[in-house]
Amino acid sequence: MIKNKLMQWLSYTFMLITFITSSCSKPDIPQLSDMSFIPIPAEITSDEGFFIIGSGTSVLVINGNDEVVSTANFLADYINQATGFSVVVKPVDNRSGKGNIVVNIVNDESIHREGYELKVSSANITITATSAEGLFRASQTFRQMLPCSAERKEKATRFGLPACTIKDYPRFAYRGAMLDVSRHFFGVDVVKQFIDYLAEYKMNYLHLHLSDDQGWRIEIKSWPNLTAHGGKTQVGGGEGGFYTQEQFSEIVQYAKDRFITIVPEIDMPGHTNAALASYPELNENGIAPELYTGMEVGFSTLATRKEITYQFVDDVVREISRLIPGEYFHIGGDESHVTKKDDYIYFINRVQEIVASYRKKSIGWDEIATANMLPGNVAQFWASTENAQLAVNQGAKLILSPSSRIYLDMKYDSTTVLGLNWAGYIEVDKAYDWNPAQLIPGIDETHILGVEAPLWTETVETLDDIQYLIFPRILGVAEIGWSPEGLRNWETYQERLAKQAEKLKARNINFYKSPLVQWNCKE
Ligand code: TNX
């Protein structure tokens, strides 16, 4: 009897000790070298020690305005989603940061507006930045330090991070992607998802291709038939769709909260069949064509010598400009094969003036460099090096979207089912392994505003399709735009990309498992 009691007591004691030691024992601390950062930060140093994030950890904000505090919530959310904790953000006015994540907003001109320092030490984690934007970029780096299990939303309880110091800032001011919502329409939720993908890799512009031959996708109150008729179909004859101005504003705000600027594109004078079908007066012959659901390009043009055309452009630019805080309005200008050269130049010159009158700068595909570019306007290189040089000779900056490198609608190889191949096949290494400053003769870093990867959607119908074509190539584009050239090479990038696989899988992202990448994850 006594012996039994003793045995029982011993076993309870043993269970208690096991419980205490297991719940307080140090979690595995990952090695800094096992982590995969894309885009790779400018400077990473490994320090002594580690920090454990537990249920008592808070995010303390020093010197932060409301925007900083709400941005700090992203950081708390990443941790909470990963752990099931309820980490909170607290604005504080002192540095009582021990055991916490401290966000310190400083006035320091040596830190880039989007730059940050992220320091993990045994005492705490500090993020130093000059703005909410820098904090947001830092939060993405922090998110990439979380274990794969975090993305699987398994409640991982406490987890540790190795001590380190990361100093980071972007190479180019413009790091973007384009989504064509005209050839196939994508609703607000898909666009938000797309924005989340960009934010994660520190991209800061989303260009929305809002009109083309196959569909007009944004409500214009003064020209309602653009969407009532011109938004009714898409490639293949599906039902199409459009954003009301309220929905569009919701997208703009969602992007803004993630420090992404929306660049709206109204493609003109070509690529305008949907508008021409909606308003006969915009046509040279005054006759509206049928709606178009094919994939050919270059057959449509606005009537460039009719005044009504400029009233139309003015109304469209005015209504859209009011909805965007960003400085750029994209006027298209590509493949106007049925517009006479003189008419094209006359049109592009006038449209740039209209855009300027609403205090926006124009971006246009590289053909616009054949017109007179207004100061501050930007040419988007996609095909013609000659046009790119024309633009630079006029003092304009370039966004680089070389079709043979980063057109995300190009097939990976001959077996890819989705996509096109007019600019060649683009494997993951080809999309990554090029230097913007050495792409076009005579064009160097100082002429380049940044890079943008377009996703044209003639063959793309679902979020699953979008994922397959952008993942993983878009990660490479993000790194080209953000990271110092000296830190980039395919071999080490390939290893970092391989380590992202588990996280992509955990999030159910349908990505292309390129045979050039040794996919793995060390967890
Ligand atoms: C060319 S790139 C186009 C688009 C097509 C794309 C398909 C450019 C400025 N124009 O109209 O959708 O090819 O890859």
Side-chain angles (χ1 to χ4, degrees), residues 61-369:
V61 177
I62 301 172
N63 280 338
N65 56 19
D66 291 351
E67 191 187 25
V68 172
V69 172
S70 64
T71 303
N73 275 303
F74 282 100
L75 200 60
D77 285 350
Y78 298 143
I79 299 170
N80 294 336
Q81 281 164 22
T83 58
F85 295 160
S86 310
V87 166
V88 290
V89 176
K90 299 180 192 162
V92 297
D93 49 18
N94 59 50
R95 286 166 190 274
S96 59
K98 198 159 168 20
N100 291 306
I101 300 173
V102 181
V103 171
N104 198 6
I105 300 299
V106 296
N107 212 337
D108 179 347
E109 283 182 3
S110 71
I111 303 181
H112 186 284
R113 185 176 45 83
E114 289 189 80
Y116 63 89
E117 183 189 273
L118 168 60
K119 192 169 172 56
V120 179
S121 74
S122 319
N124 61 19
I125 296 179
T126 355
I127 295 175
T128 310
T130 61
S131 67
E133 192 169 2
L135 165 62
F136 188 77
R137 306 294 175 227
S139 306
Q140 305 314 312
T141 304
F142 176 82
R143 190 179 175 192
Q144 293 192 355
M145 297 178 91
L146 303 180
C148 285
S149 55
E151 299 297 341
R152 282 196 291 271
K153 301 194 169 52
E154 283 164 11
K155 302 306 172 207
T157 65
R158 305 181 316 147
F159 62 90
L161 297 177
C164 61
T165 307
I166 298 178
K167 287 186 187 162
D168 206 7
Y169 54 87
R171 175 180 179 187
F172 292 112
Y174 188 111
R175 308 173 306 279
M178 188 205 80
L179 181 64
D180 170 7
V181 295
S182 180
R183 271 53 177 275
H184 280 100
F185 180 68
F186 299 94
V188 173
D189 287 348
V190 171
V191 178
K192 285 183 176 172
Q193 189 67 71
F194 199 88
I195 289 169
D196 284 340
Y197 299 151
L198 303 191
E200 196 175 339
Y201 304 105
K202 303 190 176 73
M203 285 185 152
N204 61 350
Y205 283 89
L206 170 61
H207 166 186
L208 288 174
H209 185 76
L210 291 167
S211 71
D212 212 302
D213 292 319
Q214 296 86 345
W216 187 283
R217 307 301 180 201
I218 181 165
E219 175 190 22
I220 302 295
K221 292 187 197 284
S222 52
W223 295 73
N225 215 33
L226 288 170
T227 45
H229 184 66
K232 263 204 319 232
T233 191
Q234 57 185 1
V235 166
E239 69 179 14
F242 66 92
Y243 310 116
T244 63
Q245 292 197 358
E246 290 65 33
Q247 287 172 324
F248 186 74
S249 296
E250 187 184 331
I251 291 171
V252 168
Q253 186 59 44
Y254 189 86
K256 188 165 181 284
D257 291 342
R258 288 151 184 79
F259 300 89
I260 290 177
T261 304
I262 299 292
V263 178
E265 178 184 354
I266 298 298
D267 201 350
M268 49 196 165
H271 290 274
T272 41
N273 191 77
L276 297 168
S278 307
Y279 287 97
E281 59 269 42
L282 299 176
N283 294 267
E284 198 62 64
N285 62 4
I287 300 169
E290 292 295 305
L291 291 172
Y292 180 69
T293 60
M295 282 172 42
E296 292 305 309
V297 295
F299 61 87
S300 55
T301 185
L302 292 169
T304 55
R305 301 287 172 171
K306 282 187 169 176
E307 270 319 292
I308 185 74
T309 294
Y310 298 96
Q311 186 55 53
F312 162 76
V313 174
D314 195 288
D315 287 336
V316 168
V317 174
R318 173 175 48 79
E319 289 199 29
I320 297 177
S321 293
R322 240 194 236 143
L323 307 174
I324 52 163
E327 61 180 326
Y328 295 116
F329 189 102
H330 202 303
I331 61 174
D334 59 316
E335 300 172 318
S336 285
H337 300 325
V338 295
T339 320
K340 289 200 195 84
K341 192 166 171 34
D342 282 357
D343 293 347
Y344 176 83
I345 291 172
Y346 174 77
F347 178 86
I348 295 294
N349 287 345
R350 276 196 71 175
V351 170
Q352 285 182 89
E353 295 288 353
I354 293 172
V355 171
S357 77
Y358 293 107
R359 286 186 289 284
K360 300 290 177 194
K361 291 177 183 161
S362 295
I363 303 179
W365 297 105
D366 62 47
E367 289 95 321
I368 70 157

Side-chain angles (χ1 to χ4, degrees), residues 183 271 334-335 365 382 407 409-410 420 422 456 458:
R183 271 53 177 275
H271 290 274
D334 59 316
E335 300 172 318
W365 297 105
W382 66 283
Y407 261 35
D409 63 320
M410 292 301 121
L420 306 174
W422 65 263
W456 302 100
E458 287 92 335

